[in-house]
Amino acid sequence: MRARAAVIPAAGLGTRFYPVTKAVPKELLPIVDVPALQIIMDEAIDAGCDHIVLVSSRAKPGLENYVTPDPAVVAKLRDLGRGAVADRLARIGTDVRVTITYQENPRGLGHAVGCAREAVGDEPFAVLLPDELRGDAGLLRLLIDSSEATGSSAIELKRVPMDEVSAYGVVSVAPGAPADGPFEITDVVEKPKKEDAPSDLIILGRYVLTPSIWDDIAALKPHPNGELQLTDALLSQTGRVPILGHLTTTERYDTGTPFGWLTAVIDIALRRGDTGPQLREWLSGRL
Ligand code: G1P
């Protein structure tokens, strides 16, 4: 079976972006004039998903407003000659179903994903962490294809310098895999100290999970900080269902921090026909 639902955990308060996130959900921060959330939903749709499950917070009504279809906005964009972005907006909530589910308390990524269980049901599904923007849908499509072909879960991995591993989930892999993967995951540890980390392979923000993970999520025990970690559910899954790790291939922006967001805005603005030439000229004068 092919993953068709894309879960986007978006209930976090965005404290790294205070004070703007006091009023604006971080997923709606503009990448030039398109919210990050739209770019994430476009990636899921371009990878073949037709059901977006947004795990939101009641403190962030702006997310619900954004995914509510508004034909007047779409028509206005067309009048302004912005047909491509109008098309992207028009499919949300029409061709592509959106379900909003609420995470009442922020209790970690495992808990957030678990909130999508009823909406997704007994099917494989994708998870897209909205703090990470991608240049295209290639990697997610690869994970979905891999999961469909093998019946396994498939997650995105990246090699990083050992000094960086402690900010991520870190995996061990079965020996004998080609240097560029895919890898069979044998162990996962969430945010280990550098000296305890099993490898330099970290988990990034795209996952395709088989529905057997729902029971592993339901059985999660909190870490000392109270959070239920998705990595613990992955670890329980490895005993029964293979999990394949694929090295990331796509350009990636970490928009979870102001600096990462700024680099995404500049890069994407440089690439756009309507803003690129002018920004390039302005920047070169500035630098
Ligand atoms: C989460 C996951 C972690 C993963 C990371 C990728 O951590 O828990 O395993 O490596 O996303 O960005 P967070 O960044 O939410 O602390």
Side-chain angles (χ1 to χ4, degrees):
M1 231 180 146
R2 200 171 165 78
R4 299 182 61 179
V7 175
I8 304 178
L13 297 178
T15 47
R16 284 184 295 180
F17 266 100
Y18 274 170
V20 63
T21 42
K22 186 170 175 289
V24 181
K26 70 176 174 188
E27 296 78 13
L28 296 184
L29 291 177
I31 307 298
V32 188
D33 51 8
V34 177
L37 177 64
Q38 179 73 49
I39 298 175
I40 298 282
M41 292 191 295
D42 289 339
E43 180 190 336
I45 297 165
D46 292 346
C49 298
D50 60 5
H51 182 197
I52 305 282
V53 181
L54 195 56
V55 181
S56 186
S57 152
R58 294 195 196 275
K60 297 166 82 173
L63 290 179
E64 197 161 339
N65 292 346
Y66 188 78
V67 296
T68 302
D70 189 337
V73 172
V74 173
K76 186 71 191 167
L77 281 165
R78 291 201 200 289
D79 286 351
L80 294 168
R82 302 198 56 207
V85 78
D87 289 346
R88 287 160 65 191
L89 239 71
R91 59 192 186 176
I92 306 298
T94 53
D95 303 351
V96 176
R97 188 154 64 100
V98 179
T99 305
I100 301 187
T101 169
Y102 292 99
Q103 185 185 16
E104 303 295 351
N105 296 301
R107 291 178 55 205
L109 182 58
H111 180 251
V113 173
C115 293
R117 180 173 190 164
E118 204 183 311
V120 173
D122 196 24
E123 296 177 7
F125 61 99
V127 177
L128 292 86
L129 303 189
D131 276 357
E132 294 186 25
L133 293 189
R134 296 303 152 84
D136 61 56
L139 188 271
L140 184 61
R141 200 174 306 115
L142 173 77
L143 297 182
I144 292 177
D145 289 348
S146 161
S147 168
E148 183 185 22
T150 61
S152 307
S153 289
I155 63 175
E156 177 185 23
L157 299 177
K158 186 181 183 201
R159 284 194 197 284
V160 293
M162 287 307 285
D163 283 341
E164 294 176 23
V165 292
S166 59
Y168 298 95
V170 185
V171 300
S172 304
V173 298
D180 56 351
F183 304 94
E184 186 181 334
I185 312 276
T186 55
D187 193 11
V188 192
V189 41
E190 180 69 10
K191 303 193 175 74
K193 287 192 196 127
K194 177 183 168 181
E195 49 278 18
D196 299 335
S199 76
D200 62 349
L201 281 169
I202 60 155
I203 303 177
L204 280 180
R206 301 293 181 266
Y207 310 70
V208 175
L209 302 171
T210 56
S212 71
I213 202 159
W214 293 128
D215 288 342
D216 297 308
I217 290 176
L220 284 174
K221 301 267 180 299
H223 278 223
N225 65 2
E227 293 195 350
L228 303 175
Q229 298 296 351
L230 185 61
T231 38
D232 290 343
L234 290 172
L235 182 59
S236 339
Q237 237 199 353
T238 52
R240 297 187 321 275
V241 185
I243 303 182
L244 293 177
H246 293 267
L247 287 181
T248 193
T249 49
T250 1
E251 198 161 11
R252 161 179 181 259
Y253 301 97
D254 177 1
T255 49
T257 64
F259 183 77
W261 167 80
L262 198 56
T263 59
V265 174
I266 293 172
D267 240 10
I268 289 170
L270 281 172
R271 239 181 275 140
R272 272 175 48 163
D274 57 344
T275 47
Q278 208 182 344
L279 178 61
R280 187 164 286 110
E281 194 184 325
W282 183 82
L283 274 176
S284 47
R286 219 41 187 181
L287 300 171

